[in-house]
């Protein structure tokens, strides 16, 4: 595959992003501890859904981290950008929507139980740097991943420069090294950080879970892998994998993750299938092959996915804990409630995109132009007749 002069638009990845946000929603709406989000009175059904979707949130977050690196590296190939301009655009895109959902969460439920020392790091997107689960999962819980993304954004100008300097023949080796880094993080967490209390009902210590899942430098391997995969695709060095085969591989990896020790399921088993699916879908866009994911509806849903991701936890927590006080329902009523929560979260995400994200991007993504310097007033010059010859410039005779 020859490298294009301008990188193709990866619209199918936009559509795929929506499904990653949906599985995070399904993970949260089916958990029963520490909050009774799962609405089913049938405890066998609730327990089965909880176990089956327990790893879905982790899969979605890992997908977002690899995808973020991939898309940013692909867009950076257009050139003409500066570090300051990149940082400004990223901050303007993510922070206003985060600030709004943080304020809503504080107003609706978190403010009554969240002290300032815990809520302020969440507002400033510093929460994943704390090993205290009351901080890194406080207020609007999914926003911890934005704190990791901000760390990636800060390093992106340096990382993309390093990736560009790698000779093509060494790219595969570096990509494998990043995958190895993901596995190494899990091994360190499993065999080194063995002391401490277990957070919530997790069968691991708090240090193990924080380091293996939320600590931003530990998740940098996934983001950097995305950078390398984008370069490999542009160089035509990726093996051809069909989208159905990649999707089946991801399903198999997820099934295996439900059967292995808890820590190994965080990211290690799914990193290769996630990378394969992203590359397979992106390759179809580069080749101009039509996909369902490129359709207008899925593209629009993909554009809403960021707001949906930020809003869904606020919606679920407010309805299930504050309004319903954890009340359980029959199977049909519980399924209807989940559908209603999904629609409400999607509507809230669309509102965030239209009323917050896009206006902020339009207003602040580029610095304002400096006002032109005032020019001294000039005396009007006599108008020449169109047919009269102009006087030659120079001294008057």
């Amino acid at each position: 595959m020859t490298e294009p002069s301008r990188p193709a638009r990866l619209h199918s990845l936009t559509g795929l992003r929506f499904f990653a946000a949906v599985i995070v929603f399904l993970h949260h709406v089916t958990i029963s501890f520490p909050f009774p989000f799962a609405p089913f009175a049938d405890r066998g059904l609730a327990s089965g859904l909880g176990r089956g979707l327990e790893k879905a949130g982790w899969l979605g977050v890992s997908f977002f981290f690899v995808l973020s690196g991939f898309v940013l590296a692909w867009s950076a190939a257009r050139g003409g950008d500066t570090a300051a301009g990149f940082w400004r655009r990223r901050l303007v895109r993510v922070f206003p929507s985060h600030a709004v959902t943080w304020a809503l969460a504080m107003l609706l439920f978190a403010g009554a139980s969240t002290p300032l020392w815990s809520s302020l790091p969440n507002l400033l997107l510093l929460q994943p740097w704390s090993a205290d689960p009351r901080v890194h999962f406080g207020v609007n819980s999914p926003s911890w991943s934005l704190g990791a993304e901000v760390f990636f954004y800060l390093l992106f100008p340096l990382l993309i420069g390093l990736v560009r300097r790698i000779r093509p023949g060494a790219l595969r080796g570096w990509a494998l090294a990043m995958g190895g880094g993901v596995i190494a993080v899990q091994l360190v967490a499993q065999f080194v950080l063995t002391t401490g209390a277990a957070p919530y009902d997790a069968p691991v210590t708090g240090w193990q879970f924080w380091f293996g899942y939320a600590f931003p430098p530990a998740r940098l391997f996934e983001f950097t892998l995305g950078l390398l995969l984008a370069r490999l695709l542009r160089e035509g060095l990726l093996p051809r994998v069909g989208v159905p085969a990649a999707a089946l591989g991801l399903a198999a990896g997820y099934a295996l993750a439900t059967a292995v020790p808890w820590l190994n399921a965080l990211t290690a088993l799914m990193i290769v299938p996630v990378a394969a699916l992203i590359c397979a879908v992106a390759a179809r866009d580069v080749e101009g092959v039509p996909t369902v994911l490129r359709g207008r509806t899925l593209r629009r849903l993909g554009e809403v996915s960021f707001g949906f991701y930020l809003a869904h936890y606020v919606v679920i927590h407010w309805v299930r804990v504050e309004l319903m006080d954890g009340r359980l329902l029959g199977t049909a009523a519980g399924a209807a409630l989940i559908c209603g929560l999904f629609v409400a979260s999607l509507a809230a995400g669309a509102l965030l995109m239209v009323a917050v994200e896009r206006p902020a991007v339009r207003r602040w993504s580029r610095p304002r132009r400096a006002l032109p310097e005032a020019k001294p007033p000039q005396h009007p010059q006599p108008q020449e007749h169109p047919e009269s010859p102009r006087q030659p410039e120079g001294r008057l005779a």
Side-chain angles (χ1 to χ4, degrees):
M1 184 186 302
T2 59
E3 183 175 345
S5 57
R6 288 180 63 83
R9 298 284 183 177
L10 304 179
H11 294 310
S12 295
L13 287 182
T14 302
L16 188 60
R17 191 171 65 193
F18 172 69
F19 290 102
V22 169
I23 64 173
V24 175
F25 167 85
L26 292 175
H27 164 73
H28 285 136
V29 83
T30 55
I31 62 175
S32 299
F33 190 86
F35 301 111
F37 289 167
F40 299 107
D42 184 338
R43 302 320 298 163
L45 174 62
S47 177
L49 287 174
R51 288 195 304 270
L53 293 168
E54 181 183 25
K55 278 67 172 193
W58 310 340
L59 170 60
V61 170
S62 187
F63 174 88
F64 283 131
F65 287 162
V66 178
L67 179 67
S68 178
F70 189 101
V71 171
L72 290 178
W74 191 263
S75 300
R78 295 185 175 92
D81 200 5
T82 64
F86 170 80
W87 290 328
R88 181 189 183 102
R89 289 195 310 278
R90 290 286 93 194
L91 183 64
V92 165
R93 184 178 182 273
V94 304
F95 189 78
S97 295
H98 159 67
V100 169
T101 50
W102 177 91
L104 284 173
M106 290 292 291
L107 177 66
L108 295 174
F109 55 85
S113 59
T114 308
L116 180 64
W117 64 266
S118 176
S119 63
L120 193 57
N122 279 269
L123 174 62
L124 300 178
L125 293 174
L126 298 173
Q127 68 270 47
W129 295 93
S130 171
D132 189 336
R134 293 171 298 176
V135 177
H136 60 245
F137 282 165
V139 191
N140 184 19
S141 179
S143 67
W144 76 267
S145 64
L146 288 188
E149 287 278 6
V150 167
F151 174 65
F152 304 157
Y153 298 157
L154 288 174
L155 294 181
F156 176 74
L158 170 64
L159 292 174
I160 193 62
L162 294 175
V163 169
R164 285 169 174 165
R165 291 184 178 92
I166 299 174
R167 57 184 179 83
L171 286 170
R172 288 196 185 99
W174 278 102
L176 290 173
M178 294 303 104
V182 172
I183 297 172
V185 166
Q186 306 302 306
L187 293 176
V188 170
Q190 185 169 357
F191 295 109
V192 178
L193 305 175
T194 57
T195 60
Y200 305 137
D201 63 342
V204 294
T205 70
W207 286 104
Q208 286 175 318
F209 184 73
W210 171 69
F211 181 81
Y213 187 67
F215 186 45
R219 305 306 297 260
L220 187 61
F221 292 107
E222 292 152 278
F223 179 79
T224 308
L225 176 61
L227 304 182
L228 290 161
L229 293 174
R231 172 93 192 275
L232 280 164
L233 180 60
R234 287 183 59 81
E235 297 284 352
L237 296 175
L238 285 175
R240 185 177 181 85
V241 178
V243 174
L248 286 174
L250 184 60
Y254 185 82
L256 183 60
T258 63
V260 299
W262 204 82
L263 277 171
N264 301 114
L266 291 177
T267 55
L269 281 178
M270 291 180 279
I271 187 63
V272 172
V274 162
L277 182 60
I278 290 173
C279 291
V281 172
R284 301 297 86 80
D285 278 347
V286 172
E287 296 166 358
V289 178
T291 67
V292 175
L293 296 168
R294 288 177 64 91
R296 178 176 297 181
T297 300
L298 281 177
R299 283 175 55 190
R300 295 294 180 266
L301 290 172
E303 292 168 359
V304 173
S305 62
F306 176 65
F308 172 78
Y309 178 81
L310 283 178
H312 81 274
Y313 187 88
V314 178
V315 172
I316 296 171
H317 194 295
W318 181 58
V319 172
R320 288 292 297 133
V321 178
E322 304 302 318
L323 294 185
M324 299 183 64
D325 195 24
R327 183 163 58 92
L328 301 179
L329 306 172
T331 301
L337 176 63
I338 288 177
C339 291
L341 291 172
F342 176 79
V343 172
S345 300
L346 195 60
L351 184 61
L352 274 176
M353 181 186 72
V354 172
V356 179
E357 179 186 338
R358 285 181 174 174
V361 169
R362 284 195 299 267
R363 182 167 184 177
W364 293 308
S365 63
R366 298 181 184 275
R368 294 184 178 181
R369 294 179 179 178
L371 294 176
E373 296 183 3
K375 295 182 179 181
Q378 297 181 349
H379 297 291
Q381 298 296 323
Q383 295 289 331
E384 289 184 338
H385 190 278
E387 296 180 359
S388 64
R390 295 182 61 88
Q391 296 291 334
E393 294 181 358
R395 292 185 302 167
L396 293 176

